[in-house]
Amino acid sequence: MDVLHWDGTLSAKDFRIGAFAFAQKWESCNLAFPPWSWLPCPKHPWLAPPEEEGYLSLEKICISRPNEEEDIDQISQIDTGEEETCCSRNEDVLDDATLVQSNHHELHYCDFHIVYSSTFRVPVLYFRAYCSDGRPLPLDEIEKELPACASKELSKKWTFITQEEHPCLKRPWYKLHPCGTAEWMKLLFLSDTANPKFEVVLELYLLSWFSVVGQVFGLRISLKISN
């Protein structure tokens, strides 16, 4: 496919290829976060999903700020017992605290899913946030705890947060609406003077996409991944 005539969208098969490439790059850089996992969509007895139907999952991410005056944010994965990693050691991975609770040292957790939209033909970031006892956080509480850069990104009108049914899990999740994704992804790759082949575009698509959408949550792509 000629990238110059590409509309910025992906087929379901292309999404699967790009998802595996993104997950491999993420895991190979030994980041503070756990790896993304490819999960097949649950099968229904009356409908057999195609082989490529699935999504990427990054779950049980805990980010806490014990004291508002402290500049160090700590990251942990809740059910591994691993030591918390200092944010100052991973400044290229994490920007500001995400989904934090500074009162009473209560921890908040977040699950992220990257799901293919058959309507918009682009990846979509679904997420949910909850307390340590499993209580879900409402959107107004989530928005209060997003990093300062989130409001800046959301004000650019390329996306907005909405709640819809998760297409695979059939439960309500929040998501970043993909209305402008194809357009800015096309512009992003057309701005590359190297004019990459479409195979290269597939390999870098989710990496480039997440480098933008991740900023809403203060999550930045490591420079090691982009090399």
Side-chain angles (χ1 to χ4, degrees):
M1 179 185 296
D2 186 355
V3 176
L4 293 177
H5 298 93
W6 175 55
D7 63 359
T9 64
L10 297 174
S11 67
K13 183 177 180 180
D14 292 339
F15 168 76
R16 189 171 186 268
I17 294 173
F20 277 97
F22 171 69
Q24 290 173 0
K25 281 182 173 290
W26 179 281
E27 184 176 9
S28 67
C29 291
N30 193 27
L31 302 179
F33 295 101
W36 288 87
S37 301
W38 176 265
L39 301 178
C41 289
K43 294 183 178 181
H44 301 288
W46 61 89
L47 181 64
E51 178 184 356
E52 63 267 15
E53 189 171 341
Y55 58 94
L56 284 175
S57 173
L58 181 68
E59 297 190 345
K60 299 181 180 178
I61 300 303
C62 168
I63 302 178
S64 65
R65 180 181 295 161
N67 190 314
E68 289 184 349
E69 296 179 355
E70 291 183 6
D71 293 328
I72 297 178
D73 301 319
Q74 297 179 323
I75 311 168
S76 65
Q77 188 180 4
I78 63 173
D79 54 0
T80 62
E82 297 175 356
E83 288 185 5
E84 296 181 351
T85 303
C86 176
C87 177
S88 61
R89 302 172 191 164
N90 301 281
E91 291 179 353
D92 59 341
V93 180
L94 183 65
D95 181 11
D96 293 321
T98 307
L99 304 175
V100 299
Q101 171 74 338
S102 57
N103 295 326
H104 311 299
H105 297 192
E106 183 180 1
L107 300 179
H108 288 170
Y109 307 109
C110 193
D111 297 341
F112 297 100
H113 288 175
I114 300 176
V115 185
Y116 178 72
S117 169
S118 58
T119 301
F120 291 90
R121 293 172 56 84
V122 296
V124 182
L125 185 64
Y126 283 79
F127 65 95
R128 64 173 182 171
Y130 46 93
C131 303
S132 56
D133 60 2
R135 289 181 295 109
L137 289 180
L139 182 57
D140 58 342
E141 291 297 321
I142 296 175
E143 291 177 332
K144 289 177 183 177
E145 298 180 350
L146 291 177
C149 64
S151 58
K152 180 180 179 181
E153 292 300 319
L154 292 172
S155 67
K156 293 180 179 178
K157 306 302 182 184
W158 58 266
T159 189
F160 56 91
I161 296 176
T162 183
Q163 187 178 44
E164 294 186 11
E165 183 181 82
H166 192 296
C168 294
L169 304 182
K170 307 302 180 184
R171 295 194 295 268
W173 278 53
Y174 295 110
K175 75 174 186 178
L176 295 182
H177 200 279
C179 52
T181 300
E183 181 179 356
W184 59 259
M185 286 300 295
K186 178 182 179 180
L187 293 175
L188 181 64
F189 282 101
L190 286 179
S191 64
D192 189 342
T193 56
N195 191 21
K197 295 182 179 180
F198 190 67
E199 291 78 9
V200 177
V201 171
L202 284 185
E203 182 178 349
L204 298 178
Y205 190 102
L206 262 73
L207 178 66
S208 303
W209 168 81
F210 193 79
S211 69
V212 176
V213 301
Q215 294 183 42
V216 173
F217 302 93
L219 302 174
R220 290 186 175 180
I221 291 291
S222 169
L223 295 177
K224 295 180 182 179
I225 300 182
S226 57
N227 292 333

